[in-house]
Amino acid sequence: MAAGGSAGGAAGESEPAGMRTVQRAIDVLGLFDEVRPALSLREIVSASGLPKTTALRLLQTLRINGLLWVDEHGRYLAGPTLLRWSRLAEQAWRLPAPARALLRDLAAEHKETVHLYVRRDIHRVCIAQEEGPQALRQVVRVGDELPLWAGGVAKALLLDAPDPLLLRIAETSPHGPGHLATLRTWIEEARAHGYAVSHGEREEGLSAVAVPVRGRSGAVLAALSFGGPSTRFTPERVTRFAAALLGAAEKLSRAGLPFEP
């Protein structure tokens, strides 16, 4: 997942030096993604905003610990230690077999891609998906991180969100802090209906229907959604999608999710 902004600006200068160094290292790792799996030193310095000497020091530490590797062209790429970490993450976040079967059944019956998201601060992360059978479909991969300022999934995840969090999310939107009022309206509508709908809010031509998945305490743990081309999300189909998702979310809540605290 790509990290937004520069690595140098991610940690405030008032933070302790050790914390600042850790944050910078994390931000450097965040520069790598599927589009840019290998980066030169020059590219890392340019993208991070760090001085070259600072970047070199971080890169050396990351190399020593196996988090980065250097190829035959002198470019940096993900290191072998991340293989072990990714395996541990996959084990921790893997859905139980019945839950995976539930997502497969939803995608097969309604012919749209199903996603399961969790909130990570002001972002949402896809932790499971089952692609629909149609050629034209929404593509979001497991692990992808998306903003929370728009979309049906965002509304479902933010049903219990406090105003300070909503304000921070609004400030990251293209509309600025004034977007807070819109977020509040969207969330109230989703709360009244029991599900959330979006049409082209984040990306033109894409629609979504999403419902919250609640834990044993009643708090929103995740959001279950259908996503796809807006032309297929007619009012009649949205109603059917919502009913199917609500039933599935209830089953997921009863079964429990592996990451529930």
Side-chain angles (χ1 to χ4, degrees):
M1 292 175 286
S6 70
E13 293 303 316
S14 61
E15 293 179 350
M19 185 182 298
R20 196 158 59 241
T21 299
V22 171
Q23 184 62 60
R24 284 172 171 172
I26 292 171
D27 289 341
V28 166
L29 289 174
L31 298 174
F32 297 84
D33 56 24
E34 292 85 351
V35 177
R36 301 181 299 176
L39 296 170
S40 67
L41 173 61
R42 177 180 297 178
E43 290 171 326
I44 292 170
V45 169
S46 175
S48 68
L50 292 171
K52 184 177 180 180
T53 53
T54 302
L56 276 171
R57 187 167 64 250
L58 288 173
L59 292 170
Q60 182 180 14
T61 300
L62 292 169
R63 274 188 70 188
I64 290 172
N65 289 278
L67 298 174
L68 287 179
W69 199 259
V70 178
D71 66 13
E72 66 273 19
H73 304 293
R75 298 175 304 177
Y76 293 86
L77 63 155
T81 297
L82 293 174
L83 291 172
R84 178 172 62 88
W85 286 8
S86 66
R87 187 176 67 251
L88 292 172
E90 197 277 333
Q91 291 173 356
W93 290 85
R94 182 193 298 135
L95 294 181
R100 296 198 302 271
L102 188 61
L103 268 60
R104 285 196 300 270
D105 291 345
L106 283 171
E109 180 180 353
H110 296 277
K111 297 180 172 53
E112 297 293 350
T113 299
V114 183
H115 299 100
L116 187 66
Y117 288 87
V118 296
R119 182 176 69 84
R120 188 188 72 79
D121 193 31
I122 61 172
H123 300 91
R124 52 185 166 113
V125 181
C126 180
I127 62 167
Q129 72 136 4
E130 189 65 36
E131 289 191 356
Q134 305 199 61
L136 185 60
R137 57 183 182 265
Q138 184 183 17
V139 178
V140 178
R141 292 160 296 192
V142 172
D144 280 356
E145 188 175 86
L146 299 170
L148 275 173
W149 52 263
V153 170
K155 300 169 193 177
L157 285 173
L158 295 174
L159 283 175
D160 301 334
D163 257 13
L165 172 62
L166 295 180
L167 178 58
R168 287 201 295 124
I169 292 169
E171 288 172 341
T172 66
S173 77
H175 316 291
H179 189 55
L180 175 61
T182 301
L183 281 175
R184 287 173 176 157
T185 300
W186 284 346
I187 291 168
E188 284 303 317
E189 291 174 352
R191 188 176 291 118
H193 289 95
Y195 62 90
V197 182
S198 63
H199 298 291
E201 291 176 2
R202 191 180 59 84
E203 189 170 340
E204 187 176 354
L206 288 180
S207 290
V209 180
V211 301
V213 180
R214 297 185 180 272
R216 287 181 288 269
S217 67
V220 175
L221 285 182
L224 184 65
S225 72
F226 281 121
S230 295
T231 53
R232 296 205 297 261
F233 280 63
T234 62
E236 295 78 15
R237 293 196 83 203
V238 164
T239 300
R240 292 201 300 272
F241 291 162
L245 290 170
L246 286 167
E250 186 177 349
K251 292 178 182 177
L252 287 175
S253 295
R254 288 200 305 265
L257 294 171
F259 49 87
E260 183 171 0

